[in-house]
Amino acid sequence: MNPGAALQASLTGEQVQLLIELVEGECRRLPVEIHHTHRGEFKEHLRRRLELAETLLERLKAWRDA
């Protein structure tokens, strides 16, 4: 799959809400994992993952509220 390709999906409101809850959990968990990680390379990987999760969360909430 092309990483730059847009995703077209048909999801129910319930499915979107579940995705929001899952991503919110990841956004709460990652800062703790980042804090406890000592390897710089892995820490940077986790920071990028957190940034992606936060962006995804914003988009999901906007989609839900549209």
Side-chain angles (χ1 to χ4, degrees), residues 8 35 40 48 53:
Q8 296 291 323
H35 177 74
R48 284 192 310 272

Side-chain angles (χ1 to χ4, degrees), residues 16 20 55-66:
V16 172
I20 288 170
T55 301
L56 177 59
L57 184 58
E58 289 173 12
R59 294 183 77 182
L60 286 168
K61 285 181 175 181
W63 189 22
R64 175 195 63 193
D65 298 339

Side-chain angles (χ1 to χ4, degrees), residues 16-41:
V16 172
Q17 187 58 41
L18 176 58
L19 285 172
I20 288 170
E21 291 169 15
L22 292 170
V23 176
E24 284 175 335
E26 187 75 350
C27 287
R28 284 189 303 272
R29 183 188 68 78
L30 280 169
V32 175
E33 191 168 343
I34 291 167
H35 177 74
H36 289 106
T37 299
H38 300 290
R39 285 187 40 228
E41 183 179 308

